[in-house]
Amino acid sequence: MTMQLTREQLLSAAGEYGTPVYIYHAERINEQYLRLTNAFKGTDSRFFYAAKALTNIHVLRYIREIGCNVDCSSINEARLALYAGFEPSNILYTSNNIAFEEIEEAKHLGIHINIDSISNLEKFGKKFGHTYPVGIRLRPNIMAGGNLKISTGHAASKFGVPLEDIEQVLRVQKETGLFIRTLHIHTGSEIKDVEVFAKGIEVLFEVAQHFPELEVIDLGGGFKVPYMPGEEGTDIEKLGKKVKEEFEEYERKYNRHLQVWFEPGKFLVSEAGYFITKVNVLKKAGNISFAGVDTGLNHFIRPMFYGAYHEIENISNPSGEPKLYNVVGNICETDTFAENRSLPEIREGDFLVFSNAGAYGFEMASNYNSRYRPAEVLFKNGLPQLIRRRETFEDLLSNQI
Ligand code: LLP
């Protein structure tokens, strides 16, 4: 049974902090983390939370407190992680198409680095030789993930070093003495099929023989979580078993021990997040009933950007008679959150809650239409704490000269 915040808790937070507001449930994050570590018991594994899903410093601190490591997609995320108290040895930095200077900065911070281009590998090797271990992000030519926008391992993807260029990696290794400790892939987000990870392992085990100093296989993130009612996420327990079998067999066969790393983002925080909005306006267009809310694609872009489905609940009229609604935003764009959605009767002033809003919700928010980014609240031990105040007019002006 998974933990959830109650309707009363959500309503009272909306009353206290205003809307739109992101609410996170700390213990739910821990629940996911425990599920993960249980599923991989008996395998030499490490988990690095993909901070890009949600970087609020309080969430990062909580993630650290429960014993999880962190994966950062930019040097600033790495700085946030340090600020949140992570040890450099528990921080991983996996960026793409960045200036070499940023990689140098990551080295200076003493964190683990995955490099995603021959060009940067070569620069790193020339400058640091064998003195600092790195990982290489490979593009394994595996099609995976919910849709093309979130699929990153296929043959036309910008991410990683194409598998067919491995000769060049070997050349750089030989010429510069580069210390390659990790092979990394991340093939996409919302990967339900355990076989996709198995395929990744197979590819990396094959490549592994070229790298005598290899210690780690990093399989990235991308575990699917259920978004629709009745939908299933990645079978983590099955994946844990599969990974254990594969790594044990590899060790037996080659007499070589490898550690496995993962970088889950959504899996840890998606279901722990709620996004509460208030209904401003009800409107009819022919048969369509619009419920216009006090937010839009500026605050929660997943439905529009990926066509993502998020469950919606009318928490202020839960037993109202079900009717069909198009739930739409207040931005000067067609920002439709849901079409023809059956919801308990909506009245102006009602509070609607989007589920699965913990990952890539606030984090992808913007100031479009000069609206303030929302507040964030963390529930821990049943108590809400404001962890980011709503923006103000001064924030809109603060960088303008
Ligand atoms: N590792 C790397 C190198 C990544 O690029 C990502 C996500 C992750 C780990 C974490 O993936 P996750 O476990 O969260 O699926 N904004 C999109 C997803 C794009 C993710 C980008 N990279 C969404 O809202 O679905």
Side-chain angles (χ1 to χ4, degrees):
M1 190 50 205
T2 54
M3 296 186 219
Q4 275 185 331
L5 293 179
T6 64
R7 207 174 280 144
E8 291 67 35
Q9 283 173 312
L10 294 173
L11 271 175
S12 96
E16 184 165 353
Y17 305 103
T19 59
V21 62
Y22 277 95
I23 313 272
Y24 312 119
H25 184 188
E27 288 79 13
R28 183 74 179 85
I29 298 176
N30 191 34
E31 191 173 44
Q32 289 294 96
Y33 181 63
L34 290 177
R35 190 178 154 204
L36 209 52
T37 45
N38 268 328
F40 285 84
K41 251 193 199 135
T43 300
D44 188 5
S45 51
R46 285 183 80 183
F47 300 95
F48 294 77
Y49 163 60
K52 63 174 81 66
L54 174 59
T55 54
N56 189 294
I57 206 79
H58 296 262
V59 172
L60 293 182
R61 281 197 192 117
Y62 184 76
I63 294 268
R64 174 178 59 75
E65 280 163 22
I66 62 178
C68 189
N69 309 293
V70 65
D71 173 50
C72 302
S73 67
S74 70
I75 202 73
N76 291 337
E77 281 185 5
R79 286 195 194 114
L80 286 174
L82 288 167
Y83 186 84
F86 283 94
E87 293 293 328
S89 59
N90 296 333
I91 302 176
L92 172 62
Y93 168 73
T94 313
S95 221
N96 74 91
N97 295 332
I98 31 137
F100 181 64
E101 290 70 29
E102 195 171 306
I103 298 179
E104 280 186 288
E105 234 177 303
K107 181 195 170 274
H108 183 69
L109 297 179
I111 61 185
H112 302 288
I113 303 174
N114 286 327
I115 297 181
D116 98 317
S117 69
I118 301 277
S119 143
N120 275 331
L121 267 183
E122 192 148 21
K123 287 178 191 154
F124 198 93
K126 279 190 177 145
K127 188 139 189 188
F128 304 114
H130 195 265
T131 60
Y132 198 89
V134 291
I136 337 169
R137 177 172 185 169
L138 293 170
R139 193 203 67 199
N141 302 336
I142 297 173
M143 187 64 199
N147 64 48
L148 209 53
K149 268 202 186 118
I150 54 175
S151 178
T152 52
H154 58 86
S157 161
K158 69 159 186 169
F159 295 95
V161 174
L163 208 53
E164 51 275 22
D165 291 348
I166 202 78
E167 290 300 326
Q168 292 190 50
V169 176
L170 297 175
R171 174 185 59 77
V172 172
Q173 182 180 238
K174 200 162 153 218
E175 283 174 14
T176 66
L178 194 66
F179 179 178
I180 297 175
R181 184 169 64 187
T182 302
L183 291 179
H184 170 281
I185 54 170
H186 169 79
T187 55
S189 212
E190 297 183 28
I191 306 167
K192 179 162 183 294
D193 188 0
V194 167
E195 284 311 309
V196 170
F197 292 96
K199 178 82 194 142
I201 294 173
E202 188 190 318
V203 168
L204 291 183
F205 278 173
E206 210 174 301
V207 179
Q209 34 175 340
H210 298 294
F211 299 97
E213 296 177 300
L214 198 71
E215 290 168 18
V216 179
I217 294 282
D218 179 348
L219 296 172
F223 305 147
K224 177 162 176 48
V225 295
Y227 280 96
M228 294 197 196
E231 198 180 29
E232 278 178 31
T234 311
D235 186 340
I236 291 296
E237 289 71 25
K238 184 173 163 192
L239 179 66
K241 257 180 82 186
K242 180 84 191 160
V243 167
K244 187 167 164 26
E245 278 165 23
E246 296 290 335
F247 276 69
E248 279 176 358
E249 193 189 321
Y250 181 87
E251 188 157 343
R252 262 200 313 275
K253 212 160 143 190
Y254 298 102
N255 192 25
R256 183 180 192 196
H257 180 77
L258 292 174
Q259 196 172 58
V260 63
W261 290 7
F262 287 99
E263 303 158 1
K266 261 178 208 173
F267 184 82
L268 290 174
V269 298
S270 177
E271 293 160 282
Y274 304 78
F275 183 46
I276 313 183
T277 72
K278 190 153 115 185
V279 178
N280 282 339
V281 170
L282 289 176
K283 208 187 254 187
K284 280 251 179 204
N287 296 333
I288 304 173
S289 295
F290 289 105
V293 293
D294 65 354
T295 180
L297 61 69
N298 53 330
H299 295 155
F300 189 46
I301 204 173
R302 298 197 76 261
M304 302 89 191
F305 199 47
Y306 308 111
Y309 181 100
H310 285 261
E311 274 198 70
I312 303 175
E313 228 190 301
N314 182 352
I315 51 171
S316 46
N317 193 23
S319 42
E321 174 144 355
K323 293 192 173 147
L324 292 179
Y325 293 95
N326 282 13
V327 179
V328 293
N330 61 359
I331 287 299
C332 300
E333 301 272 348
T334 303
D335 51 352
T336 306
F337 287 108
E339 254 177 275
N340 259 328
R341 189 74 68 90
S342 173
L343 290 164
E345 184 185 4
I346 297 178
R347 306 151 308 179
E348 290 186 356
D350 271 341
F351 291 105
L352 305 186
V353 176
F354 294 89
S355 312
N356 261 311
Y360 310 106
F362 181 90
E363 216 51 42
M364 292 174 84
S366 77
N367 286 118
Y368 189 37
N369 283 193
S370 292
R371 299 215 171 265
Y372 309 139
R373 283 184 301 163
E376 293 178 289
V377 170
L378 180 67
F379 268 86
K380 211 155 109 183
N381 302 320
L383 297 173
Q385 185 197 352
L386 185 67
I387 55 171
R388 186 192 298 264
R389 64 163 172 77
R390 187 176 309 287
E391 286 179 337
T392 61
F393 191 65
E394 286 66 45
D395 292 316
L396 294 184
L397 282 172
S398 65
N399 294 324
Q400 304 192 50
I401 294 160

